[in-house]
Amino acid sequence: MQSPTLFESRRVAPETYTLPAYLPVPGAGILPVNAFLIHAAQPLLVDTGLAALKSDFMKRLSQLIDLEDLAWIWLTHTDPDHLGNLTDVLAAAPNARIVTTFLGMGKLGLQQIPTDRVYLLNPGQKLDLGDRTVTAIKPPSFDAPETTGLFDSKTRTLFSADCFGALMHQPAQTALEITPDALHEGLVAWSMVDAPWLAMVDAHAFDRALNTVHQLNAEMVLSSHLPPAPGMVDALLTHLRATRFATPANGPDQQAFEQIMAQIMVA
Ligand SMILES: [Fe+2]
Ligand SMILES: [Fe+2]
């Protein structure tokens, strides 16, 4: 895979769809970059994909929902891989409000997002979607302090933002297709890039955070950076727990990067 690629949208849980994309990471494989749609009574979009895939993303999203009906845009955090098409979605969905935190609003304010299109929700607080509530949760791993994942009480689906992401070798329909060893390696590698502070956390505090996820009893985990993971919460928690003993990763330096790119050009 030479460039970011958007795959077919798929239903992954009742009334729940993924818009899956993959981003090539030179020298490290590919990284999933997923957005999701909950087709609730008040429909909610989780994140807005990669800007590099704008036209395909907007087309696929419009195939899933009439954007006039979109009520909420849940921004897990303000990284570019999560708000890539936010401006276009806001323009096409005039009735939708962004769900974020005060810090998220502050960061978005720098990009001239009108504050009346923002709805503030902190971890632990609930949002009523008409036929269900979703609860904002702080995942045990994140790379931006405004990060909120969410838990859908109706489908028992956890949307975990950057948490539980994994570098991969090839696309997969679900995380069950990834061997446990490859998932462990890819998840630890991604976590050490995305949240190197995990290697410094207190063991008991980290266990409490992991246990909070365990207690949700989620049937499905939808990470922004992993294929859908049904019935895999405890396996994912075990892999994530191992990051405490991993080594934070630097990316390649200029010389190594040039070598990687030269190999890619030859291949
Ligand atoms: Fe991030
Ligand atoms: Fe991300």
Side-chain angles (χ1 to χ4, degrees):
M1 191 181 295
Q2 301 280 350
S3 57
T5 306
L6 189 68
F7 282 52
E8 288 288 327
S9 306
R10 284 185 297 114
R11 179 183 172 280
V12 290
E15 298 142 353
T16 308
Y17 301 83
T18 179
L19 294 100
Y22 288 90
L23 184 68
V25 182
I30 56 174
L31 181 71
V33 180
N34 306 312
F36 306 101
L37 178 74
I38 304 175
H39 222 312
Q42 295 179 24
L44 180 149
L45 176 68
V46 181
D47 290 334
T48 65
L50 293 164
L53 298 170
K54 189 179 300 290
S55 64
D56 281 353
F57 182 88
M58 295 305 293
K59 193 169 85 183
R60 294 269 164 79
L61 181 58
S62 301
Q63 288 166 349
L64 290 177
I65 185 172
D66 180 344
L67 283 167
E68 293 267 329
D69 295 336
L70 187 66
W72 305 101
I73 304 164
W74 187 294
L75 268 191
T76 59
H77 59 303
T78 61
D79 279 355
D81 53 323
H82 298 258
L83 53 69
N85 300 305
L86 178 60
T87 306
D88 288 68
V89 175
L90 274 176
N95 302 309
R97 293 180 78 173
I98 300 167
V99 183
T100 183
T101 60
F102 184 70
L103 179 60
M105 183 177 71
K107 289 186 173 182
L108 292 169
L110 298 173
Q111 296 164 289
Q112 282 83 48
I113 303 292
T115 53
D116 63 356
R117 298 209 59 186
V118 175
Y119 185 87
L120 300 185
L121 201 72
N122 281 331
Q125 294 184 316
K126 296 180 189 302
L127 183 68
D128 187 353
L129 303 185
D131 58 352
R132 73 197 73 190
T133 58
V134 292
T135 305
I137 57 111
K138 174 67 75 182
S141 167
F142 53 85
D143 69 354
E146 72 274 16
T147 299
T148 44
L150 59 148
F151 182 68
D152 181 337
S153 60
K154 187 173 180 185
T155 61
R156 306 210 67 76
T157 297
L158 170 64
F159 299 79
S160 63
D162 281 1
C163 184
F164 302 129
L167 288 161
M168 298 169 57
H169 300 296
Q170 62 211 22
Q173 293 266 312
T174 77
L176 291 167
E177 296 171 25
I178 311 169
T179 67
D181 284 352
L183 181 56
H184 181 90
E185 189 183 327
L187 191 148
V188 171
W190 161 251
S191 302
M192 283 296 96
V193 171
D194 190 62
W197 53 267
L198 287 172
M200 297 184 284
V201 297
D202 172 80
H204 296 297
F206 194 36
D207 273 345
R208 278 198 300 277
L210 297 176
N211 202 33
T212 303
V213 173
H214 171 76
Q215 288 175 344
L216 288 172
N217 243 331
E219 291 176 9
M220 171 68 86
V221 175
L222 296 178
S223 165
S224 302
H225 301 302
L226 186 73
M232 296 178 67
V233 178
D234 288 336
L236 294 175
L237 289 170
T238 299
H239 297 315
L240 189 61
R241 185 176 282 110
T243 59
R244 275 216 331 109
F245 309 101
T247 306
N250 287 322
D253 63 11
Q254 182 61 30
Q255 193 181 14
F257 182 65
E258 286 176 8
Q259 285 171 358
I260 291 167
M261 294 312 289
Q263 283 170 3
I264 290 173
M265 298 308 279
V266 169

